[in-house]
Amino acid sequence: MPVLRTTARRSKRTLITAALALTVVAGTGGWAAGSAQKAVTGPPPGAAAWRADHSLGLPLPDPATAAPAEVARFFGSLTDRERHALAARHPLTVGNLDGVPVTLRYEANSLALKAERDIRRARAADPAGTLQDHQEARKAAARCADLLRPGRRILAFDPRGRGQVAQVYGDLTTAERTAVIVPGSDIDLATFDRSNDPYGTPAGMATSLRAQMAADAPHTRTAVIAWAGYTTPVGVGPDAATGRLAEAGAPRLARLLAGLAATEVPAPTVLCHSYGSVVCSLAAPGAGRGAIADLVVFGSPGMRRDTVAELRTTAQVWAARDASDWIGDVPNVELLGLGHGEDPTDPVFGARRVSAERAHGHTGYLAPGTDSRRNFAAIALGRYGDVR
């Protein structure tokens, strides 16, 4: 009987979603709130020049094919002088190449940001440019300058497309407990740490999570990575309703996680917000066994899987959704490429449900004083008995 009820429920939801999809397709105006994005894929920028570099008298690992463990072994075989020379010659490649020592990536990304800042400043003063060109260039230069502020540890920086960035909060080289924040829609280089709606940004979520971890375990060394390393959907449009951008972003997340393991960073708790949970679902199998300690999804539209078992991960999977989150009104099925499937907070999915009391809306899960923030910190600290 339970199986029959579940089947009937899914059939009903499928019919509802089918009607919704047909309505949207027929009206087309339903997609007007979002625009299609071109995903940034492939190896880090500058890969061609990197491959052509024979200054060390041996081939450099191919950024497109070398596994992070292979990259880590290669850099481990170099002298300090050789490592720094590669970072200076190829900052964009070294700064985005998973498996490179963490501190060397910080150094390379600082160089890449300075170069990009100078390029943008020159464009802002170019008399051949339009007023709009100058304004956009000044904004981009200011963004780079902000990321260069003392104390910021930039683990990745890619200026292509809308721009991608990852920042580390804490000392990743000595951390005992780590976490990675994977954001949802409308996040890029410009919105990574915007001041409005801070807990809807990877920077704001990472800062808040680490503050809670520090309050709960002041003697534990922690680090949290705010990762905006994939092309996210913009608005509520077809990109947000399909898996296209998640499929493009998942290999990038999988490589990040494999790179952390290759550089001996403790397996992180990966916290996936909204559309980010779709990315995490597709990345989990490719990250490697043991690369993820715990997988936490919150405000999820679905993970394009029907059960936890289909995620093919050794990580414990947790799910949270607050009562006021509009994502709860999204039908949890996948049909004709639209929708993301089963609700991860539904018992049939098999994840451990996490309380999100006092959280408000779609982006309030890591706001101070919420059950979800305390629960997420407890999971990241491995204090499972404290999770409500």
Side-chain angles (χ1 to χ4, degrees), residues 36-115:
Q37 301 296 300
K38 182 178 180 181
V40 172
T41 58
W50 169 269
R51 293 189 191 99
D53 188 336
H54 300 290
S55 60
L56 298 181
L58 73 167
L60 306 182
D62 190 336
T65 59
E70 180 183 344
V71 173
R73 286 193 296 270
F74 172 80
F75 274 86
S77 71
L78 302 179
T79 66
D80 281 345
R81 182 175 180 177
E82 289 170 332
R83 285 192 285 266
H84 293 307
L86 285 176
R89 285 198 300 275
H90 308 282
L92 279 171
T93 301
V94 173
N96 290 285
L97 190 56
D98 296 300
V100 171
V102 168
T103 54
L104 191 64
R105 290 182 68 169
Y106 297 159
E107 177 185 324
N109 284 315
S110 178
L111 294 172
L113 280 162
K114 289 175 182 176

Coordinates of all heavy atoms in Angstrom, one line a residue, residues 36-115:
A36 N 19.2 33.0 -21.0 CA 20.1 31.9 -21.2 C 21.5 32.3 -21.1 O 21.9 33.3 -21.6 CB 19.8 31.3 -22.5
Q37 N 22.3 31.5 -20.4 CA 23.7 31.8 -20.1 C 24.6 30.8 -20.9 O 24.2 29.6 -21.0 CB 24.0 31.7 -18.6 CG 23.2 32.6 -17.8 CD 23.5 34.0 -18.1 OE1 24.7 34.5 -17.9 NE2 22.5 34.8 -18.5
K38 N 25.7 31.3 -21.3 CA 26.7 30.4 -21.9 C 27.7 30.0 -20.8 O 28.4 30.8 -20.2 CB 27.5 31.1 -23.0 CG 28.5 30.3 -23.8 CD 29.2 31.0 -24.9 CE 30.2 30.1 -25.6 NZ 30.9 30.8 -26.7
A39 N 27.8 28.6 -20.6 CA 28.6 28.1 -19.5 C 30.1 28.2 -19.8 O 30.5 27.9 -21.0 CB 28.2 26.7 -19.2
V40 N 30.9 28.6 -18.8 CA 32.3 28.5 -19.0 C 32.7 27.1 -18.6 O 32.4 26.6 -17.5 CB 33.0 29.5 -18.0 CG1 34.5 29.3 -18.0 CG2 32.7 30.9 -18.4
T41 N 33.4 26.4 -19.6 CA 33.8 25.0 -19.4 C 35.2 24.9 -19.8 O 35.9 25.8 -20.2 CB 32.9 24.1 -20.2 OG1 33.0 24.5 -21.6 CG2 31.4 24.2 -19.8
G42 N 35.7 23.6 -19.6 CA 37.1 23.3 -20.1 C 38.2 23.7 -19.1 O 37.9 24.1 -17.9
P43 N 39.4 23.7 -19.5 CA 40.5 24.0 -18.6 C 40.6 25.4 -18.2 O 40.0 26.3 -18.8 CB 41.8 23.5 -19.5 CG 41.3 23.7 -20.9 CD 39.8 23.4 -20.9
P44 N 41.5 25.8 -17.3 CA 41.7 27.2 -16.9 C 42.2 28.0 -18.0 O 42.8 27.5 -19.0 CB 42.7 27.1 -15.8 CG 42.7 25.7 -15.3 CD 42.3 24.8 -16.5
P45 N 41.9 29.3 -18.0 CA 42.4 30.2 -19.0 C 43.9 30.2 -19.1 O 44.6 30.0 -18.1 CB 41.9 31.6 -18.6 CG 41.5 31.5 -17.2 CD 41.2 30.0 -16.9
G46 N 44.5 30.4 -20.3 CA 45.9 30.3 -20.5 C 46.5 28.9 -20.6 O 47.7 28.7 -20.6
A47 N 45.6 27.9 -20.8 CA 46.1 26.5 -20.9 C 47.0 26.3 -22.1 O 48.0 25.5 -22.1 CB 44.9 25.6 -21.0
A48 N 46.8 27.0 -23.2 CA 47.6 26.8 -24.4 C 49.0 27.3 -24.2 O 50.0 26.6 -24.5 CB 47.0 27.6 -25.6
A49 N 49.2 28.4 -23.6 CA 50.5 28.9 -23.3 C 51.2 28.0 -22.2 O 52.4 27.8 -22.3 CB 50.4 30.4 -22.7
W50 N 50.4 27.5 -21.3 CA 51.0 26.6 -20.3 C 51.5 25.3 -21.0 O 52.6 24.9 -20.7 CB 49.9 26.2 -19.3 CG 50.1 25.1 -18.4 CD1 49.8 23.8 -18.6 CD2 50.7 25.2 -17.1 NE1 50.2 23.0 -17.5 CE2 50.7 23.9 -16.5 CE3 51.2 26.2 -16.3 CZ2 51.2 23.6 -15.3 CZ3 51.7 26.0 -15.0 CH2 51.7 24.7 -14.5
R51 N 50.7 24.8 -21.9 CA 51.2 23.5 -22.6 C 52.5 23.8 -23.4 O 53.3 22.9 -23.6 CB 50.1 23.0 -23.5 CG 48.8 22.5 -22.8 CD 47.9 21.8 -23.8 NE 46.6 21.6 -23.2 CZ 45.5 22.3 -23.4 NH1 45.6 23.4 -24.2 NH2 44.4 22.0 -22.8
A52 N 52.6 25.0 -23.9 CA 53.7 25.3 -24.8 C 55.0 25.6 -24.0 O 56.1 25.8 -24.6 CB 53.4 26.5 -25.7
D53 N 54.9 25.7 -22.7 CA 56.0 26.1 -21.8 C 56.9 24.9 -21.5 O 56.5 23.9 -20.9 CB 55.5 26.7 -20.5 CG 56.6 27.3 -19.6 OD1 57.8 26.9 -19.8 OD2 56.3 28.1 -18.8
H54 N 58.1 24.9 -22.1 CA 59.1 23.8 -21.8 C 60.3 24.3 -21.1 O 61.4 23.8 -21.2 CB 59.6 23.3 -23.2 CG 58.4 22.7 -24.0 ND1 57.7 21.5 -23.6 CD2 57.8 23.1 -25.1 CE1 56.8 21.3 -24.5 NE2 56.8 22.3 -25.4
S55 N 60.1 25.4 -20.3 CA 61.2 26.0 -19.6 C 61.9 25.1 -18.5 O 63.0 25.3 -18.2 CB 60.7 27.3 -18.9 OG 59.7 27.1 -18.0
L56 N 61.1 24.2 -18.0 CA 61.6 23.2 -17.0 C 62.3 22.0 -17.6 O 62.8 21.2 -16.9 CB 60.5 22.8 -16.0 CG 59.9 23.9 -15.2 CD1 58.8 23.3 -14.3 CD2 60.9 24.7 -14.4
G57 N 62.2 21.9 -19.0 CA 62.8 20.8 -19.6 C 62.0 19.5 -19.6 O 62.4 18.4 -19.9
L58 N 60.7 19.7 -19.2 CA 59.8 18.5 -19.1 C 58.4 19.1 -19.4 O 58.1 20.2 -19.1 CB 59.9 17.8 -17.8 CG 59.3 18.5 -16.5 CD1 59.2 17.5 -15.4 CD2 60.1 19.7 -16.1
P59 N 57.5 18.2 -19.9 CA 56.1 18.7 -20.1 C 55.4 19.0 -18.8 O 55.5 18.3 -17.8 CB 55.5 17.5 -20.9 CG 56.3 16.3 -20.5 CD 57.7 16.8 -20.3
L60 N 54.6 20.0 -18.9 CA 53.7 20.4 -17.7 C 52.4 19.6 -17.8 O 52.0 19.2 -18.9 CB 53.4 21.9 -17.7 CG 54.6 22.8 -17.8 CD1 54.2 24.3 -17.8 CD2 55.6 22.5 -16.7
P61 N 51.8 19.2 -16.7 CA 50.6 18.5 -16.7 C 49.5 19.2 -17.5 O 49.3 20.4 -17.3 CB 50.2 18.3 -15.2 CG 51.0 19.3 -14.5 CD 52.2 19.6 -15.3
D62 N 48.8 18.5 -18.3 CA 47.8 19.1 -19.2 C 46.6 19.5 -18.3 O 46.0 18.6 -17.7 CB 47.3 18.1 -20.3 CG 46.4 18.8 -21.3 OD1 45.8 19.8 -21.0 OD2 46.4 18.2 -22.4
P63 N 46.2 20.8 -18.3 CA 45.1 21.2 -17.4 C 43.8 20.6 -17.8 O 42.9 20.5 -17.0 CB 45.1 22.7 -17.6 CG 46.4 23.1 -18.1 CD 46.9 21.9 -18.9
A64 N 43.7 20.1 -19.0 CA 42.4 19.6 -19.5 C 42.2 18.1 -19.1 O 41.1 17.6 -19.1 CB 42.3 19.7 -21.0
T65 N 43.4 17.4 -18.9 CA 43.3 15.9 -18.7 C 43.9 15.4 -17.4 O 43.6 14.4 -17.0 CB 43.9 15.2 -19.9 OG1 45.3 15.6 -20.0 CG2 43.2 15.6 -21.2
A66 N 44.9 16.2 -16.9 CA 45.6 15.7 -15.7 C 44.7 15.7 -14.5 O 44.1 16.7 -14.2 CB 46.8 16.5 -15.5
A67 N 44.6 14.6 -13.8 CA 43.9 14.5 -12.5 C 44.5 15.4 -11.5 O 45.7 15.6 -11.5 CB 43.7 13.1 -12.0
P68 N 43.7 15.9 -10.5 CA 44.3 16.8 -9.4 C 45.4 16.1 -8.7 O 46.4 16.7 -8.3 CB 43.1 17.1 -8.5 CG 42.0 17.1 -9.5 CD 42.2 16.0 -10.5
A69 N 45.3 14.7 -8.5 CA 46.4 14.0 -7.8 C 47.7 14.0 -8.6 O 48.8 14.2 -8.1 CB 46.0 12.6 -7.6
E70 N 47.6 14.0 -9.9 CA 48.8 14.1 -10.8 C 49.4 15.4 -10.7 O 50.6 15.6 -10.7 CB 48.4 13.7 -12.3 CG 49.5 13.8 -13.3 CD 49.0 13.5 -14.7 OE1 47.9 13.0 -14.9 OE2 49.8 13.8 -15.6
V71 N 48.5 16.5 -10.7 CA 49.0 17.9 -10.6 C 49.7 18.0 -9.3 O 50.8 18.6 -9.2 CB 47.8 18.8 -10.7 CG1 48.3 20.3 -10.4 CG2 47.2 18.8 -12.1
A72 N 49.2 17.5 -8.2 CA 49.8 17.6 -6.9 C 51.2 17.0 -6.9 O 52.1 17.5 -6.3 CB 48.9 17.0 -5.8
R73 N 51.3 15.8 -7.5 CA 52.6 15.1 -7.5 C 53.6 15.9 -8.3 O 54.8 16.0 -7.9 CB 52.4 13.7 -8.1 CG 51.8 12.7 -7.2 CD 51.9 11.3 -7.7 NE 51.2 11.1 -9.0 CZ 49.9 10.7 -9.1 NH1 49.2 10.5 -8.0 NH2 49.4 10.6 -10.3
F74 N 53.2 16.5 -9.4 CA 54.1 17.3 -10.2 C 54.6 18.5 -9.5 O 55.8 18.7 -9.4 CB 53.4 17.8 -11.5 CG 54.2 18.7 -12.3 CD1 55.2 18.3 -13.2 CD2 53.9 20.1 -12.2 CE1 55.9 19.2 -13.9 CE2 54.7 21.0 -13.0 CZ 55.7 20.5 -13.8
F75 N 53.7 19.2 -8.8 CA 54.2 20.4 -8.1 C 55.0 20.0 -6.9 O 55.9 20.7 -6.4 CB 53.0 21.3 -7.7 CG 52.6 22.3 -8.7 CD1 51.7 21.9 -9.8 CD2 53.1 23.5 -8.8 CE1 51.4 22.8 -10.8 CE2 52.8 24.4 -9.8 CZ 51.9 24.0 -10.8
G76 N 54.7 18.8 -6.3 CA 55.5 18.3 -5.2 C 56.9 18.0 -5.6 O 57.8 17.9 -4.8
S77 N 57.2 17.7 -6.9 CA 58.5 17.4 -7.4 C 59.3 18.6 -7.7 O 60.5 18.5 -8.0 CB 58.4 16.5 -8.6 OG 57.9 17.3 -9.8
L78 N 58.8 19.8 -7.7 CA 59.5 21.0 -8.1 C 60.1 21.7 -6.9 O 59.7 21.5 -5.7 CB 58.5 22.0 -8.7 CG 57.7 21.5 -10.0 CD1 56.8 22.6 -10.5 CD2 58.7 21.1 -11.1
T79 N 61.1 22.5 -7.2 CA 61.7 23.4 -6.1 C 60.8 24.6 -5.9 O 59.9 24.9 -6.8 CB 63.1 23.9 -6.6 OG1 62.9 24.7 -7.7 CG2 64.0 22.7 -6.9
D80 N 61.0 25.3 -4.8 CA 60.2 26.5 -4.5 C 60.4 27.5 -5.7 O 59.4 28.2 -6.1 CB 60.6 27.1 -3.2 CG 60.0 26.4 -2.0 OD1 59.1 25.6 -2.2 OD2 60.5 26.6 -0.9
R81 N 61.6 27.6 -6.2 CA 61.9 28.6 -7.2 C 61.1 28.3 -8.5 O 60.5 29.1 -9.1 CB 63.4 28.6 -7.5 CG 63.8 29.7 -8.6 CD 65.3 29.7 -8.7 NE 65.7 30.7 -9.7 CZ 66.9 31.0 -10.0 NH1 67.9 30.4 -9.4 NH2 67.2 31.9 -10.9
E82 N 61.1 27.0 -8.8 CA 60.3 26.5 -10.0 C 58.8 26.8 -9.9 O 58.2 27.2 -10.8 CB 60.6 25.1 -10.3 CG 62.0 24.8 -10.8 CD 62.4 23.3 -10.8 OE1 61.8 22.5 -10.0 OE2 63.3 22.9 -11.6
R83 N 58.3 26.5 -8.7 CA 56.9 26.7 -8.5 C 56.5 28.2 -8.6 O 55.5 28.5 -9.3 CB 56.5 26.2 -7.1 CG 56.4 24.6 -7.0 CD 55.7 24.2 -5.7 NE 56.6 24.4 -4.6 CZ 57.4 23.4 -4.1 NH1 57.4 22.2 -4.6 NH2 58.2 23.6 -3.0
H84 N 57.3 29.0 -8.0 CA 56.9 30.5 -8.0 C 57.1 31.0 -9.5 O 56.4 31.9 -9.9 CB 57.8 31.2 -7.1 CG 57.5 30.9 -5.6 ND1 56.3 31.0 -5.1 CD2 58.3 30.5 -4.6 CE1 56.3 30.7 -3.8 NE2 57.6 30.4 -3.5
A85 N 58.1 30.5 -10.2 CA 58.3 30.9 -11.6 C 57.1 30.6 -12.4 O 56.7 31.4 -13.3 CB 59.6 30.3 -12.1
L86 N 56.5 29.4 -12.3 CA 55.3 29.0 -13.0 C 54.2 29.8 -12.7 O 53.4 30.2 -13.5 CB 55.0 27.5 -12.8 CG 55.9 26.4 -13.4 CD1 55.5 25.0 -13.0 CD2 55.8 26.6 -15.0
A87 N 54.0 30.2 -11.4 CA 52.9 31.0 -11.0 C 53.0 32.4 -11.6 O 52.0 33.0 -12.0 CB 52.8 31.1 -9.4
A88 N 54.3 32.9 -11.7 CA 54.5 34.2 -12.3 C 54.2 34.2 -13.8 O 53.7 35.2 -14.3 CB 55.9 34.7 -12.0
R89 N 54.6 33.1 -14.5 CA 54.4 33.1 -15.9 C 53.0 32.8 -16.3 O 52.5 33.2 -17.3 CB 55.4 32.1 -16.5 CG 56.8 32.5 -16.6 CD 57.6 31.7 -17.6 NE 57.6 30.2 -17.2 CZ 58.5 29.7 -16.4 NH1 59.4 30.4 -15.8 NH2 58.5 28.4 -16.2
H90 N 52.3 32.0 -15.5 CA 51.0 31.5 -15.9 C 50.0 31.6 -14.7 O 49.5 30.6 -14.2 CB 51.0 30.0 -16.3 CG 52.1 29.7 -17.3 ND1 51.9 30.0 -18.6 CD2 53.3 29.2 -17.2 CE1 52.9 29.6 -19.3 NE2 53.8 29.1 -18.5
P91 N 49.8 32.9 -14.2 CA 49.0 33.0 -13.0 C 47.5 32.5 -13.1 O 47.0 31.9 -12.2 CB 49.0 34.5 -12.7 CG 49.4 35.1 -14.1 CD 50.3 34.1 -14.7
L92 N 46.9 32.7 -14.3 CA 45.5 32.3 -14.4 C 45.4 30.7 -14.4 O 44.5 30.2 -13.9 CB 44.9 32.8 -15.7 CG 44.4 34.3 -15.6 CD1 44.0 34.8 -17.0 CD2 43.2 34.4 -14.6
T93 N 46.4 30.1 -15.0 CA 46.4 28.6 -15.0 C 46.7 28.0 -13.6 O 46.0 27.2 -13.1 CB 47.4 28.1 -16.1 OG1 47.1 28.6 -17.3 CG2 47.4 26.5 -16.1
V94 N 47.8 28.5 -13.0 CA 48.2 28.0 -11.7 C 47.1 28.3 -10.7 O 46.8 27.5 -9.8 CB 49.5 28.6 -11.3 CG1 49.9 28.2 -9.9 CG2 50.6 28.1 -12.3
G95 N 46.5 29.5 -10.8 CA 45.5 29.9 -9.8 C 44.2 29.1 -9.8 O 43.5 29.1 -8.8
N96 N 44.0 28.5 -11.0 CA 42.7 27.8 -11.1 C 42.9 26.2 -11.3 O 41.9 25.5 -11.5 CB 42.0 28.3 -12.3 CG 41.4 29.7 -12.1 OD1 40.4 29.9 -11.4 ND2 42.1 30.7 -12.7
L97 N 44.2 25.8 -11.1 CA 44.5 24.4 -11.4 C 44.4 23.6 -10.1 O 45.2 23.7 -9.2 CB 45.9 24.3 -12.0 CG 46.3 22.9 -12.5 CD1 45.3 22.4 -13.6 CD2 47.7 23.0 -13.1
D98 N 43.3 22.7 -10.0 CA 43.1 21.9 -8.8 C 44.3 20.9 -8.6 O 44.6 20.2 -9.6 CB 41.8 21.2 -8.9 CG 40.6 22.2 -8.9 OD1 40.5 23.0 -7.9 OD2 39.9 22.3 -9.9
G99 N 44.8 20.8 -7.4 CA 45.9 20.0 -7.1 C 47.2 20.8 -6.9 O 48.2 20.3 -6.3
V100 N 47.2 22.1 -7.3 CA 48.3 23.0 -7.0 C 48.2 23.4 -5.5 O 47.1 23.5 -4.9 CB 48.2 24.3 -7.8 CG1 49.2 25.4 -7.4 CG2 48.4 24.0 -9.3
P101 N 49.4 23.5 -4.8 CA 49.4 23.8 -3.4 C 48.5 25.1 -3.1 O 48.6 26.1 -3.9 CB 50.9 24.1 -3.1 CG 51.6 23.2 -4.1 CD 50.8 23.2 -5.3
V102 N 47.8 25.1 -2.1 CA 46.8 26.2 -1.8 C 47.5 27.5 -1.7 O 47.0 28.5 -2.4 CB 46.1 25.9 -0.5 CG1 45.3 27.1 0.0 CG2 45.2 24.7 -0.6
T103 N 48.6 27.7 -1.0 CA 49.3 29.0 -0.9 C 49.8 29.5 -2.2 O 49.8 30.7 -2.5 CB 50.4 28.9 0.2 OG1 51.3 27.9 -0.2 CG2 49.8 28.7 1.5
L104 N 50.2 28.6 -3.1 CA 50.7 29.0 -4.4 C 49.5 29.5 -5.3 O 49.7 30.4 -6.1 CB 51.4 27.8 -5.1 CG 52.1 28.2 -6.4 CD1 53.3 29.1 -6.1 CD2 52.7 26.9 -7.1
R105 N 48.4 28.9 -5.1 CA 47.2 29.4 -5.8 C 46.8 30.8 -5.3 O 46.5 31.7 -6.2 CB 46.0 28.4 -5.6 CG 46.2 27.1 -6.3 CD 45.0 26.2 -6.1 NE 43.8 26.7 -6.8 CZ 42.7 26.0 -7.0 NH1 42.6 24.8 -6.5 NH2 41.6 26.5 -7.6
Y106 N 46.9 31.1 -4.1 CA 46.7 32.4 -3.6 C 47.6 33.4 -4.3 O 47.2 34.5 -4.7 CB 46.9 32.5 -2.1 CG 46.0 31.7 -1.2 CD1 46.4 31.4 0.1 CD2 44.8 31.2 -1.6 CE1 45.6 30.6 0.9 CE2 44.0 30.5 -0.8 CZ 44.4 30.2 0.5 OH 43.6 29.4 1.3
E107 N 48.9 33.1 -4.3 CA 49.9 33.9 -4.9 C 49.6 34.2 -6.4 O 49.6 35.3 -6.9 CB 51.3 33.2 -4.8 CG 52.4 34.0 -5.5 CD 53.7 33.2 -5.4 OE1 53.9 32.5 -4.3 OE2 54.5 33.2 -6.3
A108 N 49.3 33.1 -7.1 CA 49.0 33.2 -8.6 C 47.7 34.0 -8.8 O 47.7 34.9 -9.7 CB 48.8 31.8 -9.2
N109 N 46.7 33.9 -8.0 CA 45.5 34.6 -8.2 C 45.6 36.1 -7.9 O 45.0 36.9 -8.5 CB 44.3 34.0 -7.4 CG 43.8 32.7 -8.1 OD1 43.6 32.7 -9.3 ND2 43.6 31.7 -7.3
S110 N 46.5 36.4 -6.9 CA 46.8 37.8 -6.7 C 47.5 38.4 -7.9 O 47.1 39.6 -8.3 CB 47.8 37.9 -5.5 OG 48.1 39.2 -5.2
L111 N 48.4 37.7 -8.6 CA 49.0 38.2 -9.8 C 47.9 38.4 -10.9 O 47.9 39.4 -11.6 CB 50.1 37.3 -10.2 CG 51.3 37.2 -9.3 CD1 52.3 36.1 -9.8 CD2 52.1 38.6 -9.2
A112 N 47.1 37.4 -11.0 CA 46.0 37.4 -12.1 C 45.1 38.6 -11.8 O 44.7 39.3 -12.8 CB 45.3 36.1 -12.1
L113 N 44.7 38.8 -10.6 CA 43.8 39.9 -10.3 C 44.4 41.3 -10.6 O 43.8 42.2 -11.1 CB 43.4 39.8 -8.8 CG 42.3 38.8 -8.5 CD1 42.2 38.5 -7.0 CD2 40.9 39.4 -9.0
K114 N 45.7 41.4 -10.2 CA 46.4 42.7 -10.5 C 46.4 42.9 -12.0 O 46.2 44.1 -12.5 CB 47.8 42.7 -9.9 CG 47.8 42.7 -8.4 CD 49.2 42.6 -7.9 CE 49.2 42.6 -6.4 NZ 50.6 42.3 -5.8
A115 N 46.7 41.9 -12.8 CA 46.8 42.0 -14.3 C 45.4 42.4 -14.8 O 45.3 43.3 -15.7 CB 47.3 40.7 -14.9

